[in-house]
């Protein structure tokens, strides 16, 4: 797309390769091409990290410098004023906690309910299994945005608006999660449960001490995606909560933009953004391989 | 979300094997089967209850609502297809649908091209620091669209932002993109591309790993240049990945909301209103819940259509492979 969209020439490695056809090239051309590739990657890396850096630096900059022209990338001094300003505008600690509880409880419940359902679909040969699975697949395509109105009405009728129940229960299980786990459970060797069954293990025991321990990568992947997805979700908490004391952080941040005093309080917004992304960035850096393999996994099924 | 057809077919061989158990008589078979069904039901029940209550039932309720003038207050009356007629004739709504299509038409090809470009660069084994680059490029995946939108709104702010400032230094005058009816939609699209292209990169990387190396070696022996190898080996090798990725990108594009809510609120002059943005404003700000439901069903129909296309292409591919 941009500069060097060279197709992958893995063949240009020093492997035993006939010396003709200068594609692998002399040492000089190879070094040249390599630096071209590195330059391209640097452009991509700069593109993705630059806005993140701006958020981090902006969060610690004095408000006057954030709102000055010409803008400066590096602040003259570091300050925590923006965080004070943030705390004055939204209940930041409470909303962070709300995010943690919301994303955490959805994830925990999805782990339990989805894996139970996936186990039945993958490991129990009951009649109608294919029918159930087909119906679930059809449902998987329904975007939740299309169901917001009736779901809101139901949640409202149950008196769950502005409660954790309203945020969590409609998302306590989901077809995409069941599908992901089912596809993984099905690849585990049959002998695993046969052996346990011969030892007299019941269904729950096979599920709990045979399948689950062997499915840790898939479970972790699903958990990470659910946690990140819900922590970052905007539309859902925007609709299910109106009281800022029960709002998760992502929806809370949206209120900062609506200050309508002319100039947007960017310093405060950057501080809020930093609080919102920090836990996930740390999580990502700790277990990034799981994230990346998880994405590759979902892509491969296509 | 993904395919789908692989499911039942994939499972078949094991079923035929019957698990190796050979029951002695038919009564025993029936009992065992009943007990298996019972156990399976118990395992499925909690998740299925949630899905029925919060997907299945709402889908039916939304359909019914879409034929009414429901406002969320008082009695709703049946108005037949009026809401659907409005969806396709009201200029503002038609504009929102057109905006969404335009958004998808920009987002889909670009996010795929950028993602593929990054994947091709990163797939080379002679590149130093691959892990580092991959980590950084994939980073926006964990950053919410809301935060990405705040950051980009700041960067592009004509009075404060670094990008207009730097471009000004190069002699390029940049106005307020979010106040321009021409540039606001491309701008909100660009933020989505920024946030998501790393995701597509990772999917393409997985696809690229699946292309056998000897194909490249053979192409080199045949004297194929880089572009030729890309056209003749890489692209065909990525066909399965491409089908998935294209539909996935377009379905995602039809759900655009967050960055519009944060950056433009649908403006200027409705230039960035999308289908989901209208579902939100009609349903939850203006309380036209019947109308919002009709719009929801339009979204649902588009999504299911795209899903079906994916399913068909997917099964055709499987058939071709056999």
């Amino acid at each position: 797309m941009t500069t060097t969209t060279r197709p992958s020439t893995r063949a240009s490695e020093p492997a035993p390769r006939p010396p003709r056809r200068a594609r692998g090239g002399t040492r000089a051309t190879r070094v040249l091409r390599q630096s071209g590739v590195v330059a391209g990657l640097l452009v991509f890396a700069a593109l993705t990290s630059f806005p993140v850096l701006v958020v981090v630096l902006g969060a610690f900059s004095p408000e006057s410098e954030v709102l000055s022209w010409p803008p400066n990338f590096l602040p003259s001094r570091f300050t925590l004023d923006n965080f004070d300003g943030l705390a004055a505008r939204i209940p930041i600690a409470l909303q962070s906690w709300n995010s943690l509880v919301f994303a955490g409880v959805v994830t925990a419940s999805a782990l339990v309910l989805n894996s139970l359902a996936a186990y039945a679909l993958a490991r129990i040969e009951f009649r109608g299994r294919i029918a159930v699975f087909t119906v679930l697949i059809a449902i998987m395509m329904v975007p939740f945005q299309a169901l917001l109105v009736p779901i809101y009405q139901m949640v409202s009728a149950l008196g769950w608006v502005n409660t954790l129940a309203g945020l969590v229960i409609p998302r306590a299980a989901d077809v995409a999660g069941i599908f992901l786990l089912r596809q993984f459970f099905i690849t585990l060797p049959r002998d695993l449960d046969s052996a346990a069954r011969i030892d007299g293990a019941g269904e729950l025991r096979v599920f709990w001490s045979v399948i689950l321990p062997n499915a840790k990568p898939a479970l972790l992947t699903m958990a990470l995606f659910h946690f990140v997805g819900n922590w970052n979700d905007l539309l859902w908490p925007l609709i299910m909560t109106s009281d800022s004391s029960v709002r998760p952080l992502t929806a809370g941040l949206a209120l900062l933009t609506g200050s309508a005093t002319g100039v947007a309080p960017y310093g405060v917004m950057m501080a809020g953004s930093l609080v919102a992304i920090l836990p996930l960035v740390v999580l990502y850096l700790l277990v990034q391989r799981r994230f990346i393999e998880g994405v590759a996994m979902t892509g491969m099924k296509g | 979300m993904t395919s789908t057809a692989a499911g039942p077919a994939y499972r078949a061989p094991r079923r035929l094997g019957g698990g190796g158990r050979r029951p002695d008589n038919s009564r025993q078979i029936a009992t065992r089967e009943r007990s298996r069904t019972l156990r399976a039901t118990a395992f499925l029940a909690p998740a299925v209850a949630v899905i029925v209550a919060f997907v299945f039932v709402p889908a039916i309720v939304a359909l019914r609502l879409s034929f009414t003038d429901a406002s969320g207050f008082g009695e709703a009356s049946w108005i037949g297809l009026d809401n659907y007629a409005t969806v396709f004739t009201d200029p503002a709504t038609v504009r929102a649908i057109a905006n969404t299509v335009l958004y998808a038409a920009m987002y889909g090809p670009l996010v795929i091209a950028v993602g593929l470009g990054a994947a091709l660069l990163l797939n080379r084994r002679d590149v130093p620091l691959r892990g580092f680059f991959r980590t950084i490029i994939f980073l926006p995946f964990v950053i919410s669209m809301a935060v990405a939108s705040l950051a980009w709104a700041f960067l592009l702010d004509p009075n404060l932002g670094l990008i207009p400032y730097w471009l000004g230094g190069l002699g390029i005058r940049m106005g307020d993109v979010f106040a321009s009816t021409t540039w606001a939609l491309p701008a909100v699209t660009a933020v989505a591309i920024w946030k998501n292209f790393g995701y597509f990169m990772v999917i393409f990387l997985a696809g690229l790993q699946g292309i056998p190396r000897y194909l490249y070696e053979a192409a080199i022996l045949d004297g194929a240049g880089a572009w030729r190898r890309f056209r003749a080996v890489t692209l065909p090798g990525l066909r399965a990945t491409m089908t998935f990725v294209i539909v996935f990108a377009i379905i995602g594009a039809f759900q655009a909301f967050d960055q519009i809510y944060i950056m433009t609120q649908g403006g200027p002059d409705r230039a960035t209103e999308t289908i989901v943005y209208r579902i939100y404003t009609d349903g939850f700000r203006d309380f036209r819940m019947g109308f919002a439901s009709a719009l929801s069903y339009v979204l649902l129909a588009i999504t299911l259509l795209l899903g079906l296309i994916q399913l068909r292409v997917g099964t055709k591919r499987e058939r071709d492979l056999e």
Side-chain angles (χ1 to χ4, degrees), chain B residues 249-268:
Chain B
I250 297 176
I251 289 179
F254 272 87
Q255 296 165 2
F257 171 81
D258 293 14
Q259 76 274 42
I260 292 152
Y261 180 80
I262 301 269
M263 297 206 281
T264 63
Q265 303 271 315

Side-chain angles (χ1 to χ4, degrees), chain A residues 1 4-11 13 18 20-21 23 33-34 37-38 40-42 44-45 47-52 54-55 66-71 73 113 116-117 119-120 122 124-127 129-130 133 137 139-143 145-154 169-170 173 175 178-179 182 186-187 190 203 207 232 234-235 238-239 250 253-254 257 266 269-270 273 277 280 284-285 288 291-292 295-296 298-302, chain B residues 1-4 7 10-11 14-15 33 36-37 39-40 43-44 46-47 50-51 53-56 58-59 61-62 65 113-114 117-118 120-128 133-140 142-144 146-147 150-155 157-162 165-166 194 197 199 202-203 206 208-209 211 213 216-217 220-221 223 225-226 229-230 244 255 257-258 261 276 279-280 284 289 292-293 296 300 303-304 307 317:
Chain A
M1 154 75 219
T4 37
T5 10
R6 275 291 171 70
S8 77
T9 40
R10 296 164 181 170
E13 271 193 307
R20 62 183 294 267
R21 226 49 210 157
R23 279 290 145 201
R33 197 166 53 217
Q34 203 175 333
V37 170
V38 171
L41 285 171
L42 278 173
F44 279 118
L47 203 67
T48 52
S49 57
F50 173 61
V52 182
V54 166
V55 167
V66 174
L67 301 179
S68 69
W69 184 271
F73 183 55
L113 301 196
L116 282 168
Y119 175 84
I124 305 179
E125 290 172 13
F126 64 100
R127 275 177 64 175
R129 182 181 49 173
I130 290 176
F133 188 63
I137 292 287
I139 289 179
M140 186 157 71
M141 304 204 175
V142 176
Q145 292 90 340
L147 305 177
L148 282 174
V149 170
I151 293 180
Y152 177 79
Q153 290 188 336
M154 290 170 69
I169 291 176
V175 182
I178 294 174
F179 183 72
R182 184 257 186 201
I186 229 166
T187 62
R190 215 52 173 175
E203 209 74 72
F207 167 72
N232 283 342
L234 176 65
L235 183 53
L238 215 50
I239 283 170
T250 309
L253 284 182
T257 58
Y266 280 122
M269 275 156 55
M270 297 302 117
S273 298
I277 64 176
L280 296 190
Y284 167 64
L285 293 177
Q288 51 151 319
F291 276 99
I292 286 168
V295 171
T298 52
M300 227 100 86
K301 285 179 317 202
Chain B
M1 171 176 64
T2 62
S3 103
T4 63
Y10 183 79
R11 194 64 195 82
R14 217 171 268 144
R15 263 178 70 77
E33 199 162 279
R36 272 205 296 269
T37 310
R39 278 175 284 151
F43 274 76
L44 280 165
V50 172
I51 289 160
F54 294 102
V55 181
F56 217 76
V61 173
L65 278 174
V114 179
L120 289 172
L121 290 179
L122 206 56
N123 194 42
R124 303 174 59 107
R125 298 192 178 179
D126 55 347
V127 172
F133 281 125
R134 195 181 57 176
T135 303
I136 299 288
I137 296 174
F138 190 68
L139 178 67
V142 296
I143 290 172
S144 69
V147 166
L150 292 176
W152 280 103
F154 178 45
L155 279 169
D157 190 306
N159 300 314
L160 304 165
L162 280 163
Y165 175 65
W166 284 340
W194 176 81
F197 87 88
Y199 181 87
V202 170
I203 292 179
L208 287 171
Q209 312 280 312
I211 303 176
R213 253 177 94 168
Y216 287 105
E217 279 156 16
I220 288 177
L221 284 179
R229 290 198 300 270
F230 177 68
F244 165 74
Q255 296 165 2
F257 171 81
D258 293 14
Y261 180 80
V276 174
I279 292 175
Y280 173 76
F284 298 96
M289 292 195 160
S293 297
S296 298
L300 195 66
T303 311
L304 290 184
R317 196 175 63 231

Side-chain angles (χ1 to χ4, degrees), chain A residues 25-247:
Chain A
T26 61
R27 219 185 133 66
T29 56
R30 210 180 313 145
V31 167
L32 203 68
R33 197 166 53 217
Q34 203 175 333
S35 24
V37 170
V38 171
L41 285 171
L42 278 173
V43 169
F44 279 118
L47 203 67
T48 52
S49 57
F50 173 61
V52 182
L53 270 180
V54 166
V55 167
V56 175
L57 292 171
F60 295 105
S61 297
E63 179 96 34
S64 60
E65 287 181 33
V66 174
L67 301 179
S68 69
W69 184 271
N72 34 3
F73 183 55
L74 285 172
S76 66
R77 64 187 175 90
F78 285 89
T79 164
L80 295 175
D81 290 353
N82 290 327
F83 293 92
D84 292 337
L86 179 66
R89 276 170 219 257
I90 57 171
I92 179 71
L94 185 58
Q95 291 190 346
S96 305
W97 171 251
N98 292 342
S99 280
L100 183 69
V101 173
F102 162 52
V105 174
V106 170
T107 304
S109 132
L111 270 176
V112 176
L113 301 196
N114 289 350
S115 62
L116 282 168
Y119 175 84
L121 292 171
R123 313 296 287 195
I124 305 179
E125 290 172 13
F126 64 100
R127 275 177 64 175
R129 182 181 49 173
I130 290 176
V132 173
F133 188 63
T134 313
V135 171
L136 287 180
I137 292 287
I139 289 179
M140 186 157 71
M141 304 204 175
V142 176
F144 87 90
Q145 292 90 340
L147 305 177
L148 282 174
V149 170
I151 293 180
Y152 177 79
Q153 290 188 336
M154 290 170 69
V155 166
S156 170
L158 289 162
W160 287 350
V161 174
N162 279 321
T163 67
L164 182 65
L167 280 170
V168 165
I169 291 176
R171 298 194 155 182
D174 67 288
V175 182
I178 294 174
F179 183 72
L180 180 90
L181 294 180
R182 184 257 186 201
Q183 297 303 78
F184 191 88
F185 288 177
I186 229 166
T187 62
L188 299 174
R190 215 52 173 175
D191 303 346
L192 282 178
D193 18 347
S194 308
R197 274 179 223 280
I198 289 166
D199 290 346
E203 209 74 72
L204 256 180
R205 186 155 188 91
V206 175
F207 167 72
W208 182 256
S209 43
V210 178
I211 301 299
L212 286 193
N214 282 295
K216 275 185 198 144
L219 293 168
L220 189 56
T221 295
M222 196 205 75
L224 285 173
F225 282 24
H226 275 63
F227 190 84
V228 171
N230 284 288
W231 179 284
N232 283 342
D233 200 356
L234 176 65
L235 183 53
W236 178 258
L238 215 50
I239 283 170
M240 293 305 157
T241 64
S242 55
D243 182 347
S244 80
S245 67
V246 292
R247 264 206 168 162

Side-chain angles (χ1 to χ4, degrees), chain B residues 15-26:
Chain B
R15 263 178 70 77
L16 295 176
R21 271 166 280 151
R22 207 164 282 280
D24 327 329
N25 59 52
S26 62

Side-chain angles (χ1 to χ4, degrees), chain B residues 180-311:
Chain B
S180 151
T181 47
T182 316
W183 291 106
L185 192 66
V188 296
T189 313
V191 176
I193 294 170
W194 176 81
K195 173 165 159 45
N196 292 332
F197 87 88
Y199 181 87
F200 288 86
M201 175 191 79
V202 170
I203 292 179
F204 277 125
L205 274 175
L208 287 171
Q209 312 280 312
I211 303 176
R213 253 177 94 168
Y214 66 82
L215 290 178
Y216 287 105
E217 279 156 16
I220 288 177
L221 284 179
D222 289 344
W227 175 244
R228 192 69 215 279
R229 290 198 300 270
F230 177 68
R231 292 282 312 274
V233 181
T234 309
L235 276 187
L238 286 178
R239 200 149 75 201
T241 312
M242 272 297 180
T243 322
F244 165 74
V245 151
I246 290 170
V247 176
F248 185 77
I250 297 176
I251 289 179
F254 272 87
Q255 296 165 2
F257 171 81
D258 293 14
Q259 76 274 42
I260 292 152
Y261 180 80
I262 301 269
M263 297 206 281
T264 63
Q265 303 271 315
D269 188 27
R270 297 184 186 277
T272 54
E273 282 191 351
T274 57
I275 297 178
V276 174
Y277 190 76
R278 283 296 302 270
I279 292 175
Y280 173 76
T281 52
D282 277 296
F284 298 96
R285 195 189 66 197
D286 306 337
F287 299 106
R288 299 167 71 197
M289 292 195 160
F291 179 76
S293 297
L295 205 49
S296 298
Y297 254 81
V298 172
L299 173 68
L300 195 66
I302 294 170
T303 311
L304 290 184
L305 198 71
L306 290 166
L308 277 181
I309 291 172
Q310 184 181 52
L311 205 67

